[in-house]
Amino acid sequence: MDERFTGSFTQQEPIPDDGIAAAVEVMRHGRLHRYNLAGDEKGEAALLEQDFAAFTGAKYCLAVTSGGYAMACALRAVGVAPGDKVLSNAFTLAPVPGAIANVGAVPVFVEVTEGLVLDLDDLRAKIAESGARYLLLSHMRGHICDMDALMAICDGAGVTVIEDCAHTMGAAWDGVPSGRHGKAACYSTQTYKHMNSGEGGFLITDDADVMARAVMLSGSYMLFGRHLAAPGPEAFADARYETPNMSGRMDNLRAAILRSQLPRLAEQCARWNERYFEIENGLRDTPGLTVIERPDRETPVGSSIQFLLRDWSADDVLAVVSRCAERGVELKWFGAAEPVAFTSRYDSWRYAKPQHLPATDRVLAGLMDMRIPLTFSREDCALIASIIRQEVTRQFQSVSAAV
Ligand SMILES: *Cc1c(COP(=O)(O)O)cnc(C)c1O
């Protein structure tokens, strides 16, 4: 009898008790709107921004309604105008090109490597070819490219970098927290990311003008003085008149839930990595399967895992997906012709101009993806790895035998 896994790939841990208590407190006093403050009360949203700025080391932080909102807000705040070209990874999630479309800009996709990071040679070529002056860099599924090399290229070409850190909250490159290389960085606190408020996001930057515009965009009215992680009133002298209000504020209820999670984030990241490397070890040296090697300079957060079935046929990939599913292991395939659930390919974002990215196509054709919720034990992870290993081996050997 083949062993089966019975856990849920979509079940996250509960909100910590002190977070529940803080949320109940906000509901009891009823001041859920971030600017609805009594006396000298600071408010959970403003305090959360202060906490998250300190966590990343950024000067300024703004909490907003989602990661996607944070990205569109950051693009607008750094000056992206309708019709501008914005470079981005060809392998990413739909909200990334969506944020570019949100500001009326035009996505220009850059190839990714087999390490699932931006291809820096293609980045150089695409900068030259397109004349784009902005890069929305997605650390997709937590894979971080050589940030020193990337910043050298972008600084040299006058390209402004916005980082999408939806999967790298708590991660680092060469000891520098992810999100601290570019002009601004965006995070998500949606349920499947590293902190969970259902929906939510952050934007961080050291640039006072960018943050002043972002705060106005998020819908601060003339109440920006109530922020604790924003620049002083002088930075708002022009922004208060020139920046449209595009409401996307964080409320005190979600902020209360998040404030309880932030002090635990580093420990949670360590727990993710225990599980990640348990699975990675179990998959290593499986015939036909390529593990994604993590660079020495990267401090990852393994909240999901990817591997390649390099140059496999679609039928063989689908056979593995369906047999793993029968045994309770949910693999996502980024190479599917039709977008499914959260996964889609760049060619399914048809509002963008059709582009041909052969290296990325080859990677996506064999790219498997799996979430690692913290509700899984290490024993669960070992079992999951052994199921994948058996099914990949079985399929690979049956194909090799037939040739
Ligand atoms: C989830 C996600 C986002 C956006 O986050 P939302 O809060 O859902 O808008 C952005 N980029 C990547 C890579 C993501 O996975």
Side-chain angles (χ1 to χ4, degrees):
M1 245 295 276
D2 283 338
E3 265 186 304
R4 272 185 55 95
F5 177 66
T6 55
S8 164
F9 281 80
T10 52
Q11 184 59 55
Q12 308 295 345
E13 293 186 301
I15 303 301
D17 284 340
D18 52 347
I20 293 173
V24 169
E25 174 62 23
V26 171
M27 287 189 281
R28 284 198 200 289
H29 68 51
R31 292 182 296 279
L32 274 71
H33 192 285
R34 68 168 297 162
Y35 300 122
N36 183 197
L37 305 170
D40 57 3
E41 186 185 15
K42 296 186 164 86
E44 293 286 343
L47 289 166
L48 173 66
E49 288 164 347
Q50 208 172 32
D51 293 350
F52 196 72
F55 174 78
T56 55
K59 258 192 177 146
Y60 309 119
C61 175
L62 175 68
V64 294
T65 46
S66 72
Y69 183 92
M71 290 188 287
C73 184
L75 290 171
R76 215 181 285 270
V78 300
V80 175
D84 283 353
K85 291 173 179 163
V86 178
L87 300 151
S88 195
N89 310 45
F91 167 51
T92 184
L93 227 61
V96 176
I100 297 171
N102 189 324
V103 299
V106 178
V108 176
F109 296 117
V110 179
E111 296 268 29
V112 297
T113 68
E114 286 203 338
L116 306 185
V117 297
L118 208 69
D119 180 327
L120 298 184
D121 293 329
D122 194 51
L123 174 63
R124 240 184 247 107
K126 292 276 161 64
I127 291 173
E129 212 171 274
S130 68
R133 287 293 162 264
Y134 302 95
L135 167 65
L136 179 54
L137 172 66
S138 186
H139 303 301
M140 178 60 174
R141 288 295 189 259
H143 297 275
I144 304 177
C145 70
D146 182 336
M147 288 304 295
D148 305 311
L150 177 122
M151 290 310 300
I153 293 169
C154 291
D155 289 344
V159 169
T160 300
V161 179
I162 307 288
E163 295 181 73
D164 163 25
C165 302
H167 302 151
T168 56
M169 185 188 281
W173 178 260
D174 214 3
V176 178
S178 183
R180 297 295 293 139
H181 292 89
K183 184 71 150 178
C186 305
Y187 303 80
S188 170
T189 61
Q190 191 229 79
T191 295
Y192 301 109
K193 310 299 161 81
H194 299 173
M195 293 200 294
N196 175 10
S197 59
E199 302 285 358
F202 293 111
L203 192 169
I204 61 164
T205 182
D206 286 347
D207 186 304
D209 294 329
V210 169
M211 184 49 75
R213 284 192 288 269
V215 168
M216 293 302 301
L217 283 166
S218 77
S220 68
Y221 301 91
M222 296 302 141
L223 299 168
F224 46 80
R226 299 191 185 171
H227 284 246
L228 300 173
E234 61 292 346
F236 290 84
D238 296 328
R240 60 191 293 182
Y241 299 111
E242 291 169 0
T243 318
N245 177 325
M246 301 191 168
S247 284
R249 293 171 301 271
M250 165 81 63
D251 58 89
N252 285 329
L253 187 55
R254 284 176 209 191
I257 293 171
L258 292 170
R259 276 189 78 209
S260 74
Q261 294 173 52
L262 190 53
R264 296 175 168 89
L265 181 57
E267 189 195 325
Q268 297 292 77
C269 293
R271 294 177 62 218
W272 262 305
N273 286 343
E274 278 172 16
R275 287 157 180 74
Y276 178 95
F277 288 108
E278 183 80 44
I279 297 172
E280 190 199 81
N281 278 334
L283 295 181
R284 220 167 248 294
D285 304 321
T286 302
L289 181 151
T290 308
V291 162
I292 312 287
E293 299 296 348
R294 310 304 300 239
D296 290 341
R297 282 190 285 165
E298 183 190 34
T299 309
V301 180
S303 53
S304 69
I305 191 163
Q306 294 70 42
F307 59 86
L308 292 173
L309 300 178
R310 198 196 267 141
D311 299 332
W312 282 43
S313 76
D315 287 348
D316 291 327
V317 171
L318 286 169
V320 167
V321 170
S322 83
R323 276 209 307 272
C324 284
E326 279 163 26
R327 298 179 65 184
V329 174
E330 275 180 40
L331 294 177
K332 302 280 189 268
W333 179 38
F334 270 99
E338 283 299 316
V340 182
F342 291 106
T343 58
S344 50
R345 291 194 318 211
Y346 68 89
D347 56 356
S348 60
W349 305 321
R350 291 186 195 164
Y351 52 84
K353 255 209 307 278
Q355 289 166 60
H356 182 50
L357 297 142
T360 301
D361 290 341
R362 185 171 172 215
V363 170
L364 294 180
L367 182 57
M368 312 308 294
D369 174 68
M370 192 181 74
R371 280 204 186 106
I372 312 178
L374 286 176
T375 49
F376 290 0
S377 66
R378 291 185 67 169
E379 293 70 35
D380 291 338
C381 293
L383 172 60
I384 289 166
S386 85
I387 290 172
I388 297 172
R389 184 183 191 89
Q390 284 165 17
E391 296 304 337
V392 168
T393 305
R394 192 176 293 181
Q395 190 65 24
F396 187 73
Q397 286 173 347
S398 78
V399 174
S400 312
V403 176

